[in-house]
Short mmCIF file of all heavy atoms in Angstrom, two decimals:
data_model
loop_
_atom_site.label_atom_id
_atom_site.label_comp_id
_atom_site.label_asym_id
_atom_site.label_seq_id
_atom_site.Cartn_x
_atom_site.Cartn_y
_atom_site.Cartn_z
N LEU A 1 9.15 -4.77 -6.03
CA LEU A 1 8.30 -5.07 -4.89
C LEU A 1 7.98 -6.56 -4.83
O LEU A 1 7.96 -7.24 -5.86
CB LEU A 1 6.98 -4.29 -4.99
CG LEU A 1 7.06 -2.78 -4.86
CD1 LEU A 1 5.74 -2.15 -5.26
CD2 LEU A 1 7.41 -2.39 -3.44
N PRO A 2 7.69 -7.06 -3.63
CA PRO A 2 7.18 -8.44 -3.53
C PRO A 2 5.87 -8.58 -4.29
O PRO A 2 5.13 -7.60 -4.46
CB PRO A 2 6.98 -8.64 -2.02
CG PRO A 2 7.82 -7.60 -1.37
CD PRO A 2 7.85 -6.44 -2.32
N ALA A 3 5.56 -9.79 -4.73
CA ALA A 3 4.37 -10.02 -5.55
C ALA A 3 3.09 -9.59 -4.83
O ALA A 3 2.20 -8.98 -5.43
CB ALA A 3 4.28 -11.49 -5.94
N ALA A 4 3.00 -9.89 -3.52
CA ALA A 4 1.78 -9.54 -2.78
C ALA A 4 1.58 -8.03 -2.72
O ALA A 4 0.47 -7.52 -2.93
CB ALA A 4 1.84 -10.12 -1.37
N GLY A 5 2.65 -7.31 -2.45
CA GLY A 5 2.55 -5.85 -2.38
C GLY A 5 2.22 -5.24 -3.72
O GLY A 5 1.41 -4.30 -3.81
N PHE A 6 2.82 -5.77 -4.76
CA PHE A 6 2.55 -5.23 -6.09
C PHE A 6 1.09 -5.47 -6.49
O PHE A 6 0.46 -4.60 -7.10
CB PHE A 6 3.48 -5.86 -7.12
CG PHE A 6 3.30 -5.31 -8.51
CD1 PHE A 6 3.81 -4.08 -8.85
CD2 PHE A 6 2.60 -6.04 -9.47
CE1 PHE A 6 3.63 -3.56 -10.13
CE2 PHE A 6 2.42 -5.53 -10.74
CZ PHE A 6 2.93 -4.28 -11.07
N ALA A 7 0.54 -6.63 -6.14
CA ALA A 7 -0.86 -6.92 -6.46
C ALA A 7 -1.79 -5.92 -5.78
O ALA A 7 -2.79 -5.49 -6.37
CB ALA A 7 -1.21 -8.34 -6.03
N GLN A 8 -1.47 -5.52 -4.56
CA GLN A 8 -2.29 -4.54 -3.87
C GLN A 8 -2.21 -3.18 -4.55
O GLN A 8 -3.21 -2.46 -4.64
CB GLN A 8 -1.85 -4.43 -2.40
CG GLN A 8 -2.21 -5.64 -1.56
CD GLN A 8 -1.64 -5.55 -0.16
OE1 GLN A 8 -0.49 -5.89 0.08
NE2 GLN A 8 -2.46 -5.06 0.76
N ILE A 9 -1.04 -2.83 -5.02
CA ILE A 9 -0.88 -1.55 -5.72
C ILE A 9 -1.66 -1.56 -7.03
O ILE A 9 -2.30 -0.56 -7.39
CB ILE A 9 0.62 -1.28 -5.97
CG1 ILE A 9 1.30 -0.91 -4.63
CG2 ILE A 9 0.83 -0.18 -7.00
CD1 ILE A 9 2.79 -0.81 -4.71
N VAL A 10 -1.65 -2.67 -7.73
CA VAL A 10 -2.43 -2.79 -8.96
C VAL A 10 -3.91 -2.62 -8.66
O VAL A 10 -4.64 -1.94 -9.41
CB VAL A 10 -2.16 -4.14 -9.66
CG1 VAL A 10 -3.18 -4.40 -10.77
CG2 VAL A 10 -0.75 -4.16 -10.24
N ASP A 11 -4.39 -3.19 -7.55
CA ASP A 11 -5.79 -3.03 -7.17
C ASP A 11 -6.12 -1.56 -6.94
O ASP A 11 -7.18 -1.07 -7.37
CB ASP A 11 -6.11 -3.83 -5.91
CG ASP A 11 -6.16 -5.34 -6.18
OD1 ASP A 11 -6.29 -5.72 -7.36
OD2 ASP A 11 -6.05 -6.11 -5.21
N ARG A 12 -5.25 -0.85 -6.24
CA ARG A 12 -5.47 0.58 -5.99
C ARG A 12 -5.46 1.36 -7.29
O ARG A 12 -6.23 2.30 -7.48
CB ARG A 12 -4.40 1.12 -5.05
CG ARG A 12 -4.39 0.48 -3.69
CD ARG A 12 -5.46 1.04 -2.79
NE ARG A 12 -5.49 0.38 -1.50
CZ ARG A 12 -6.11 0.84 -0.43
NH1 ARG A 12 -6.79 1.97 -0.52
NH2 ARG A 12 -6.12 0.17 0.71
N THR A 13 -4.59 0.97 -8.20
CA THR A 13 -4.51 1.64 -9.50
C THR A 13 -5.80 1.45 -10.28
O THR A 13 -6.36 2.40 -10.82
CB THR A 13 -3.33 1.08 -10.30
OG1 THR A 13 -2.12 1.34 -9.60
CG2 THR A 13 -3.26 1.70 -11.69
N THR A 14 -6.29 0.22 -10.33
CA THR A 14 -7.50 -0.09 -11.09
C THR A 14 -8.71 0.60 -10.49
O THR A 14 -9.60 1.08 -11.21
CB THR A 14 -7.72 -1.61 -11.13
OG1 THR A 14 -6.55 -2.24 -11.68
CG2 THR A 14 -8.91 -1.96 -12.00
N ASP A 15 -8.75 0.69 -9.15
CA ASP A 15 -9.87 1.33 -8.47
C ASP A 15 -9.75 2.85 -8.45
O ASP A 15 -10.67 3.53 -7.98
CB ASP A 15 -10.00 0.82 -7.03
CG ASP A 15 -10.37 -0.65 -6.97
OD1 ASP A 15 -10.92 -1.15 -7.97
OD2 ASP A 15 -10.12 -1.29 -5.94
N ALA A 16 -8.62 3.38 -8.91
CA ALA A 16 -8.37 4.83 -8.95
C ALA A 16 -8.45 5.44 -7.55
O ALA A 16 -9.05 6.50 -7.35
CB ALA A 16 -9.34 5.52 -9.90
N ILE A 17 -7.81 4.78 -6.58
CA ILE A 17 -7.80 5.27 -5.20
C ILE A 17 -6.38 5.71 -4.85
O ILE A 17 -5.49 4.87 -4.66
CB ILE A 17 -8.25 4.19 -4.21
CG1 ILE A 17 -9.65 3.69 -4.57
CG2 ILE A 17 -8.23 4.72 -2.79
CD1 ILE A 17 -10.10 2.51 -3.73
N PRO A 18 -6.12 7.03 -4.73
CA PRO A 18 -4.78 7.47 -4.32
C PRO A 18 -4.55 7.11 -2.86
O PRO A 18 -5.38 7.37 -2.00
CB PRO A 18 -4.82 8.98 -4.53
CG PRO A 18 -6.27 9.35 -4.48
CD PRO A 18 -7.02 8.16 -4.99
N THR A 19 -3.43 6.48 -2.56
CA THR A 19 -3.21 5.94 -1.22
C THR A 19 -1.73 5.96 -0.86
O THR A 19 -0.87 5.67 -1.68
CB THR A 19 -3.70 4.48 -1.13
OG1 THR A 19 -4.98 4.34 -1.74
CG2 THR A 19 -3.79 4.02 0.31
N LEU A 20 -1.46 6.27 0.41
CA LEU A 20 -0.12 6.14 0.97
C LEU A 20 -0.04 4.79 1.66
O LEU A 20 -0.84 4.47 2.54
CB LEU A 20 0.13 7.27 1.97
CG LEU A 20 1.53 7.33 2.59
CD1 LEU A 20 2.60 7.55 1.51
CD2 LEU A 20 1.59 8.42 3.65
N LEU A 21 0.93 3.97 1.24
CA LEU A 21 1.06 2.60 1.74
C LEU A 21 2.43 2.37 2.34
O LEU A 21 3.42 3.01 1.96
CB LEU A 21 0.83 1.60 0.61
CG LEU A 21 -0.52 1.64 -0.12
CD1 LEU A 21 -0.48 0.74 -1.34
CD2 LEU A 21 -1.64 1.21 0.83
N GLU A 22 2.49 1.41 3.28
CA GLU A 22 3.77 1.04 3.90
C GLU A 22 3.98 -0.45 3.72
O GLU A 22 3.06 -1.25 3.94
CB GLU A 22 3.77 1.41 5.38
CG GLU A 22 5.09 1.10 6.08
CD GLU A 22 5.14 1.66 7.50
OE1 GLU A 22 5.06 2.89 7.64
OE2 GLU A 22 5.21 0.86 8.45
N LEU A 23 5.17 -0.83 3.35
CA LEU A 23 5.52 -2.23 3.15
C LEU A 23 5.68 -2.91 4.50
O LEU A 23 6.44 -2.46 5.36
CB LEU A 23 6.82 -2.34 2.35
CG LEU A 23 7.25 -3.74 1.89
CD1 LEU A 23 6.26 -4.31 0.89
CD2 LEU A 23 8.65 -3.69 1.29
N ASP A 24 4.91 -4.00 4.71
CA ASP A 24 5.01 -4.71 5.98
C ASP A 24 6.00 -5.87 5.89
O ASP A 24 6.56 -6.15 4.83
CB ASP A 24 3.63 -5.19 6.46
CG ASP A 24 2.99 -6.19 5.48
OD1 ASP A 24 3.72 -6.87 4.75
OD2 ASP A 24 1.74 -6.28 5.47
N GLY A 25 6.19 -6.57 7.01
CA GLY A 25 7.18 -7.64 7.05
C GLY A 25 6.85 -8.83 6.20
O GLY A 25 7.73 -9.63 5.84
N ALA A 26 5.56 -8.98 5.83
CA ALA A 26 5.14 -10.13 5.04
C ALA A 26 5.15 -9.85 3.54
O ALA A 26 4.72 -10.69 2.74
CB ALA A 26 3.73 -10.57 5.47
N GLY A 27 5.60 -8.68 3.15
CA GLY A 27 5.65 -8.34 1.73
C GLY A 27 4.38 -7.70 1.22
O GLY A 27 4.25 -7.47 0.02
N GLY A 28 3.42 -7.43 2.12
CA GLY A 28 2.19 -6.75 1.72
C GLY A 28 2.26 -5.26 1.98
O GLY A 28 3.24 -4.75 2.55
N MET A 29 1.23 -4.54 1.58
CA MET A 29 1.18 -3.10 1.76
C MET A 29 0.02 -2.75 2.68
O MET A 29 -1.10 -3.23 2.50
CB MET A 29 0.99 -2.38 0.42
CG MET A 29 1.99 -2.77 -0.67
SD MET A 29 3.70 -2.35 -0.26
CE MET A 29 3.63 -0.57 -0.14
N GLN A 30 0.28 -1.87 3.66
CA GLN A 30 -0.74 -1.44 4.58
C GLN A 30 -0.94 0.07 4.48
O GLN A 30 0.04 0.81 4.36
CB GLN A 30 -0.34 -1.79 6.04
CG GLN A 30 -0.11 -3.27 6.28
CD GLN A 30 -1.36 -4.09 6.04
OE1 GLN A 30 -2.48 -3.63 6.29
NE2 GLN A 30 -1.19 -5.30 5.53
N PRO A 31 -2.19 0.55 4.52
CA PRO A 31 -2.43 2.00 4.46
C PRO A 31 -1.78 2.71 5.65
O PRO A 31 -1.73 2.18 6.76
CB PRO A 31 -3.96 2.11 4.52
CG PRO A 31 -4.47 0.78 4.08
CD PRO A 31 -3.45 -0.22 4.55
N VAL A 32 -1.29 3.91 5.39
CA VAL A 32 -0.65 4.73 6.42
C VAL A 32 -1.52 5.95 6.69
O VAL A 32 -1.92 6.65 5.76
CB VAL A 32 0.75 5.19 5.97
CG1 VAL A 32 1.39 6.07 7.02
CG2 VAL A 32 1.63 3.99 5.68
N THR A 33 -1.80 6.20 7.95
CA THR A 33 -2.57 7.38 8.32
C THR A 33 -1.75 8.39 9.11
O THR A 33 -2.07 9.58 9.12
CB THR A 33 -3.82 7.00 9.14
OG1 THR A 33 -3.40 6.25 10.29
CG2 THR A 33 -4.77 6.16 8.31
N HIS A 34 -0.70 7.92 9.78
CA HIS A 34 0.19 8.82 10.52
C HIS A 34 1.62 8.52 10.12
O HIS A 34 2.06 7.36 10.17
CB HIS A 34 0.02 8.65 12.03
CG HIS A 34 -1.27 9.17 12.55
ND1 HIS A 34 -2.46 8.47 12.46
CD2 HIS A 34 -1.57 10.36 13.15
CE1 HIS A 34 -3.44 9.19 13.00
NE2 HIS A 34 -2.93 10.33 13.42
N LEU A 35 2.34 9.54 9.74
CA LEU A 35 3.71 9.36 9.25
C LEU A 35 4.68 9.41 10.42
O LEU A 35 5.34 10.42 10.68
CB LEU A 35 4.04 10.45 8.21
CG LEU A 35 3.18 10.40 6.95
CD1 LEU A 35 3.59 11.51 5.99
CD2 LEU A 35 3.30 9.06 6.26
N GLU A 36 4.76 8.31 11.13
CA GLU A 36 5.69 8.22 12.25
C GLU A 36 7.11 7.99 11.73
O GLU A 36 7.30 7.33 10.70
CB GLU A 36 5.29 7.07 13.19
CG GLU A 36 3.88 7.17 13.73
CD GLU A 36 3.69 8.35 14.66
OE1 GLU A 36 4.72 8.88 15.15
OE2 GLU A 36 2.54 8.75 14.87
N PRO A 37 8.12 8.51 12.43
CA PRO A 37 9.51 8.27 11.99
C PRO A 37 9.90 6.80 12.18
O PRO A 37 9.27 6.07 12.96
CB PRO A 37 10.32 9.19 12.91
CG PRO A 37 9.46 9.39 14.13
CD PRO A 37 8.04 9.36 13.62
#
């Protein structure tokens, strides 16, 4: 993963928050609420 996205995942891991994320064009991760095709 890009460094920015991985850092966000580490934050979620440390905070113990289960989350579905989507990789955006800038290398970050955004929460997903609707699983569009």
Side-chain angles (χ1 to χ4, degrees):
L1 293 168
F6 182 77
Q8 289 174 276
I9 288 172
V10 168
D11 288 342
R12 298 280 177 165
T13 298
T14 304
D15 294 339
I17 303 174
T19 315
L20 183 62
L21 301 171
E22 182 171 298
L23 187 66
D24 62 26
M29 307 297 297
Q30 301 298 326
V32 178
T33 56
H34 290 80
L35 297 180
E36 303 293 342

